[in-house]
Amino acid sequence: MKAMTNEEQNGRQIIPLKEGWKFTRHSLEEPEPVQGSRVHLDESGWETVRVPHDWAIAGPFHPDHDVHVNSVMEDGIHDNITHVGRTGALPIVGIGWYRLHIIIPEAWRGRLITVEFDGVMSNSTVYMNGTECGSWPYGYTSFTFDLTEHVTFGGENVLAVQVCSLPSSSRWYPGAGIYRQVRLVVKSPVHVAPWGTYITASDISEQCASIRVRTNVAGSSDSAAKVELITQLLNPEGILCAQATSVQEVCAHAEFEQHLTVKRPALWGTAHPRLYKAVSTVLLDGVEVDQYETPFGIRTISFDAKEGFRLNGEYMKLKGVCLHHDLGPLGAAVHVRAMERQLELMKEMGCNAIRMSHNPPAPELLDLCDAMGLLVIDEAFDEWGVGKVENGYHRLFKDWAEQDLRAMISRDRNHPSIIMWSIGNEMREQRLESGAITTAFLTGIVHDADPTRPVTAGFSMSDDAIENGLAAAVDIPGWNYKPHRYEEYHLHHPDWIMYGSETASTVSSRGVYHLPAVEDIPVEPKSDLQASSYDLSAPPWGTTPDQEFMAQEDLPYMLGEFVWTGFDYLGEPTPYRKEWPSRSSYFGIMDLCGLPKDRYYLYQSQWSSNPVLHLLPHWNWEGHECREIPVVCYTSYQAAELFLNGASLGIRRKSASSQPERYRLRWNAVPYEPGCLRVVAYDENEAPAMTHEVRTAGAPASVQLEADRNVIRADGEDLSFVTVSIVDEQGILCPRANHPVSFCLEGPGEIVAVDNGDPTSTTSFSAMSISTFSGKCLVIVRSRAGEAGSIVVYANSNLLHMGKTVISLL
């Protein structure tokens, strides 16, 4: 039972509701489901879980979970098939109940008691002491409900949440349950409304910036009250830089509008993401009754049909990736460190922008983008009124679209990282003459809610979208997989601002190389259910990365691209729609563990300012002696020389006249012999600048552990991602090793997940052992709150030397 404290009489209190939840679930077919809203209920058989919580991620994987009996046209296949693994082959379908016992102090009587959910997947209904307080069907939207009338002050209360996850409701793994944060918010009846501030900057120069702050203050509807609002702006160093005071009569709601000036503003940008904070203080009869904080940034964005995108007046190409919301083996449940790690890896690759695909993200992800200097397209929907899957958002669109869209914008509009609002992705309405009406309807809502940013959408059926008027109804049309059409579109619509909203869809499996290494579009399924890491394979709609590179490089009016996808994600195991086991995607530049595929270095060589030199494939081709093996180099240099066991195999140079040679250096027929492949890159003066080696590994000898961070916080939230490698006696990775590895841990921590990046693995993410894939796997370790000391992680594989690493707690 969670007891609420009485620390403040007047100010706002925010109490995270994380621990102590009771949980149970049952199938949709049960004739008499659990009545989890009842105050008195036997919970002895229920699990105790912490929220955020994803009930499905522990598995088990099974081909019968959420089988889709058709394939949507977005897959490029129109005939009916039995699609296994579309949503990850995990048990997402069912009804779940969450219950939390809370003691509410008597001293809180007279205050408002509300609960805020960042997202519940999905069709949630919230009860307080057996009374329904509200429901919200869309799993990606944040919402809040007032509990006050149903609270027992000075006693025990039961907060209950029912979740109903339907079959065929998503095209990818959505997760299940209360998978984002929940908070109890205790405040005065006169207060800043939820997500009630809207801050914009204009007339920005080196000398000053004009800041407009609109604040929605809620009050008692019984009678008007004279309310004083003080807004203070704090600069990135936390020093007061501007202040305004307003007085207004407030009944149910009132909007305050204040204008302030910031001198010598520190601009938010990708290199220096400087953040300000607005502190809104509400006073009633001279007494402070509420305080609300809003981070924001000062920056300018501009889009031009000829010159592309500018941030703070500087030209910038968008080098972006699309991200689904799952965190691989951690599932859909929010883990801030896991999201931060993903963004760190993308930034290191040279990425500067994220498209939230295809739904509003967790607010923490936007906070991270603000803090790390990543640009964002915030996206609302994957479906409008015409469905792609049986129980998708089309069921809700008529009644909920405006409410969900406004909820996303009001929550997110103060984030400086957001540069565009996307109202949808690959909507079926592209093929309908009425589609333009829906597009204009949604665009109008966005313009009303936030006129400072353009509206976009991702169009896959581009000819239909143009003919039917959808492309013209948004501010900036985004083209999915159309690099070969950009020039044509620009020629016929020279005033349109355009970008690649979804690009490439190249597929690969980390460390897997199929011979011969030839372009494989559309990709033919292979017997091992993998995709080759020569990065030449894509589904019918896709391309190699090179084709999009060329279009973006040659066409300055294109804003940039968003690659599908930055990371592998659960579900959509293209091209293996019917085959089992296959339960996660192959699209990622990183695998499901967050380990880089070869493609990572191809993008890094084009996007990053750092020197890059990477050689592929591995050099363990036992049984293929003398067979000609294609060798490829991804590098930021223009020329490189390859050596096999000291003998030169020639210099290759990039050539702008040929797409394959424009971004890759290739030696197409290297006779295999064990030993050392070494590549030497040459700078513009033909001097050796960088080297990279790939060696033939010997027999597996040891398990090697490497933590991404060996010091983490002892807060019960922080994570360390430990990469496990099978190496030979010389410490060389054994690239074909698929050894089972078991884990144990000592100290104040716990193992929360394991994975190996294999899209066909059916080992539970919550297991204590897993086989390596292409020589590697991953174990994720979490600290225990408030405990000091060190965590020791051991990894053991039969007949190999045990691996060990130590993680210290702050």
Side-chain angles (χ1 to χ4, degrees):
M1 185 179 299
K2 189 175 184 65
M4 301 293 103
T5 60
N6 183 30
E7 297 174 353
E8 301 180 39
Q9 293 294 328
N10 296 312
R12 176 182 297 238
Q13 289 178 260
I14 301 174
I15 301 118
L17 302 180
K18 290 180 176 289
E19 307 289 346
W21 288 85
K22 293 293 184 178
F23 170 74
T24 190
R25 65 179 293 264
H26 55 88
S27 72
L28 297 174
E29 291 76 26
E30 289 185 42
E32 296 184 8
V34 174
Q35 296 300 313
S37 62
R38 294 187 316 197
V39 175
H40 303 290
L41 189 67
D42 181 7
E43 301 169 349
S44 59
W46 293 36
E47 296 178 62
T48 301
V49 300
R50 61 184 288 167
V51 167
H53 174 246
D54 180 351
W55 82 51
I57 193 60
F61 292 104
H62 197 280
D64 290 343
H65 288 319
D66 197 27
V67 174
H68 290 212
V69 294
N70 68 312
S71 183
V72 300
M73 65 179 66
E74 287 72 24
D75 285 337
I77 292 181
H78 305 272
D79 57 323
N80 288 341
I81 62 171
T82 299
H83 192 143
V84 178
R86 167 166 285 277
T87 54
L90 287 165
I92 58 172
V93 176
I95 295 176
W97 278 99
Y98 293 83
R99 288 167 59 88
L100 184 65
H101 294 255
I102 306 171
I103 294 178
I104 302 292
E106 176 64 33
W108 284 0
R109 189 181 295 275
R111 307 184 73 194
L112 287 182
I113 316 296
T114 63
V115 63
E116 292 180 357
F117 292 87
D118 288 341
V120 180
M121 190 61 68
S122 55
N123 299 298
S124 59
T125 305
V126 178
Y127 300 85
M128 190 63 170
N129 294 327
T131 301
E132 181 177 334
C133 300
S135 60
W136 203 286
Y138 192 30
Y140 295 106
T141 312
S142 298
F143 57 92
T144 181
F145 293 136
D146 188 352
L147 310 178
T148 311
E149 293 184 5
H150 315 297
V151 164
T152 300
F153 291 95
E156 180 180 329
N157 296 263
V158 178
L159 176 65
V161 183
Q162 185 194 54
V163 184
C164 181
S165 290
L166 299 173
S168 297
S169 60
S170 176
R171 295 195 294 126
W172 55 83
Y173 178 73
I178 307 178
Y179 73 118
R180 292 180 180 171
Q181 305 286 353
V182 186
R183 297 169 294 280
L184 200 69
V185 182
V186 184
K187 54 198 174 188
S188 164
V190 180
H191 59 274
V192 177
W195 305 291
T197 56
Y198 179 29
I199 304 173
T200 56
S202 60
D203 301 323
I204 300 170
S205 68
E206 290 185 3
Q207 287 71 38
C208 64
S210 298
I211 308 298
R212 181 169 72 167
V213 182
R214 279 171 282 183
T215 307
N216 186 354
V217 175
S220 171
S221 59
D222 297 333
S223 60
K226 183 175 288 188
V227 174
E228 182 179 358
L229 174 68
I230 302 173
T231 299
Q232 296 177 311
L233 304 186
L234 308 182
N235 69 13
E237 288 72 42
I239 299 171
L240 179 67
C241 61
Q243 179 171 312
T245 301
S246 302
V247 178
Q248 193 169 323
E249 292 284 333
V250 177
C251 192
H253 284 277
E255 182 175 89
F256 288 72
E257 182 169 319
Q258 298 169 313
H259 295 265
L260 304 94
T261 299
V262 172
K263 295 181 179 179
R264 302 196 65 80
L267 300 187
W268 184 93
T270 54
H272 302 286
R274 301 180 180 97
L275 290 170
Y276 285 74
K277 182 187 294 183
V279 180
S280 306
T281 304
V282 178
L283 293 91
L284 190 62
D285 297 326
V287 177
E288 179 181 324
V289 295
D290 191 31
Q291 192 172 90
Y292 188 86
E293 295 184 354
T294 308
F296 71 100
I298 301 173
R299 52 99 178 107
T300 65
I301 55 173
S302 64
F303 303 84
D304 186 85
K306 294 181 180 179
E307 297 183 355
F309 172 70
R310 291 183 183 271
L311 176 66
N312 299 323
E314 296 184 7
Y315 176 78
M316 179 178 294
K317 204 79 163 179
L318 298 178
K319 303 170 182 176
V321 299
C322 300
L323 290 182
H324 267 314
H325 73 289
D326 80 65
L327 297 169
L330 294 169
V334 164
H335 292 78
V336 175
R337 171 54 197 161
M339 294 188 291
E340 181 183 49
R341 173 178 177 256
Q342 284 193 341
L343 297 181
E344 287 173 348
L345 291 167
M346 291 295 96
K347 282 202 70 171
E348 187 178 342
M349 185 180 72
C351 171
N352 63 13
I354 307 293
R355 179 186 176 210
M356 303 299 177
S357 311
H358 303 293
N359 43 259
E364 293 93 338
L365 186 54
L366 294 173
D367 291 340
L368 287 167
C369 290
D370 287 346
M372 298 171 69
L374 285 160
L375 304 168
V376 170
I377 295 178
D378 206 356
E379 192 156 80
F381 308 119
D382 185 55
E383 283 185 8
W384 291 349
V386 181
K388 300 176 183 178
V389 289
E390 181 182 358
N391 290 310
Y393 190 79
H394 68 278
R395 297 165 45 254
L396 309 172
F397 184 80
K398 181 180 178 181
D399 296 326
W400 283 90
E402 180 168 359
Q403 194 169 352
D404 281 320
L405 186 54
R406 289 188 181 275
M408 178 185 83
I409 295 171
S410 64
R411 189 197 72 174
D412 296 346
R413 60 192 173 186
N414 294 311
H415 289 278
S417 56
I418 297 174
I419 59 171
M420 286 187 268
W421 301 110
S422 173
I423 55 175
N425 171 69
E426 299 185 348
M427 302 72 61
R428 291 285 178 87
E429 281 83 348
Q430 292 172 97
R431 290 188 167 175
L432 302 179
E433 291 183 3
S434 61
I437 297 174
T438 304
T439 308
F441 164 69
L442 296 173
T443 297
I445 292 170
V446 177
H447 286 167
D448 178 66
D450 176 32
T452 70
R453 298 175 176 92
V455 178
T456 187
F459 296 115
S460 54
M461 308 168 196
S462 55
D463 292 331
D464 293 317
I466 293 170
E467 180 180 350
N468 291 322
L470 285 81
V474 296
D475 301 315
I476 300 178
W479 306 125
N480 288 8
Y481 310 108
K482 299 296 184 293
H484 54 293
R485 306 286 300 278
Y486 293 160
E487 290 184 90
E488 173 191 347
Y489 298 153
H490 182 66
L491 177 65
H492 291 104
H493 306 279
D495 295 331
W496 283 6
I497 304 164
M498 305 184 300
Y499 70 107
S501 43
E502 199 169 302
T503 64
S505 265
T506 309
V507 293
S508 64
S509 302
R510 176 181 52 81
V512 174
Y513 305 93
H514 294 146
L515 300 177
V518 295
E519 188 171 284
D520 188 18
I521 303 174
V523 58
E524 289 293 330
K526 307 298 189 293
S527 60
D528 61 359
L529 303 188
Q530 302 294 348
S532 177
S533 201
Y534 276 109
D535 301 327
L536 295 168
S537 303
W541 62 87
T543 69
T544 63
D546 316 55
Q547 188 169 349
E548 189 70 35
F549 286 155
M550 186 167 61
Q552 295 293 337
E553 188 174 353
D554 292 346
L555 307 175
Y557 51 81
M558 295 299 297
L559 303 181
E561 67 165 312
F562 289 82
V563 181
W564 192 261
T565 53
F567 288 76
D568 279 343
Y569 55 92
L570 289 163
E572 290 194 314
T574 306
Y576 301 106
R577 300 172 178 84
K578 299 178 290 184
E579 294 81 1
W580 179 259
S582 190
R583 45 68 168 165
S584 57
S585 85
Y586 300 73
F587 295 118
I589 297 170
M590 315 286 289
D591 72 9
L592 201 68
C593 295
L595 300 177
K597 303 179 186 179
D598 293 291
R599 251 184 301 149
Y600 182 89
Y601 303 98
L602 176 58
Y603 281 98
Q604 190 179 50
S605 71
Q606 299 307 308
W607 286 1
S608 171
S609 59
N610 297 323
V612 176
L613 187 64
H614 176 76
L615 204 58
L616 65 118
H618 62 68
W619 207 239
N620 274 72
W621 295 88
E622 295 84 353
H624 295 278
E625 283 72 16
C626 298
R627 182 174 182 177
E628 293 182 341
I629 306 297
V631 175
V632 180
C633 176
Y634 297 151
T635 181
S636 54
Y637 295 95
Q638 292 299 305
E641 186 173 8
L642 184 68
F643 297 85
L644 175 58
N645 294 327
S648 175
L649 299 180
I651 295 176
R652 299 289 186 270
R653 301 180 188 277
K654 292 181 181 177
S655 171
S657 62
S658 169
Q659 180 183 309
E661 278 71 42
R662 189 166 176 174
Y663 305 104
R664 311 173 187 225
L665 301 177
R666 305 191 300 176
W667 293 261
N668 291 324
V670 178
Y672 175 67
E673 62 179 58
C676 176
L677 272 179
R678 182 168 63 96
V679 65
V680 179
Y682 295 104
D683 63 18
E684 62 274 10
N685 299 315
E686 301 296 326
M690 197 174 182
T691 63
H692 179 226
E693 292 183 351
V694 176
R695 292 181 175 270
T696 304
S702 302
V703 183
Q704 186 179 85
L705 301 186
E706 182 180 4
D708 71 327
R709 295 182 307 153
N710 286 103
V711 179
I712 63 175
R713 298 183 305 276
D715 58 2
E717 303 287 342
D718 208 359
L719 304 172
S720 182
F721 291 78
V722 182
T723 301
V724 180
S725 302
I726 304 297
V727 299
D728 68 6
E729 290 185 349
Q730 305 302 315
I732 300 170
L733 175 71
C734 299
R736 294 181 178 273
N738 59 352
H739 289 48
V741 180
S742 58
F743 302 99
C744 61
L745 179 149
E746 294 177 354
E750 59 181 328
I751 293 172
V752 291
V754 298
D755 189 28
N756 58 11
D758 179 1
T760 71
S761 172
T762 57
T763 300
S764 170
F765 295 133
S766 62
M768 288 295 103
S769 64
I770 195 168
S771 293
T772 57
F773 175 66
S774 297
K776 294 187 177 185
C777 62
L778 182 80
V779 57
I780 305 173
V781 176
R782 181 168 59 202
S783 64
R784 286 207 298 263
E787 298 190 34
S790 297
I791 302 168
V792 185
V793 183
Y794 299 94
N796 184 57
S797 187
N798 192 31
L799 303 179
L800 303 184
H801 292 294
M802 179 183 293
K804 170 182 142 179
T805 193
V806 178
I807 301 164
S808 300
L809 301 184
L810 285 174

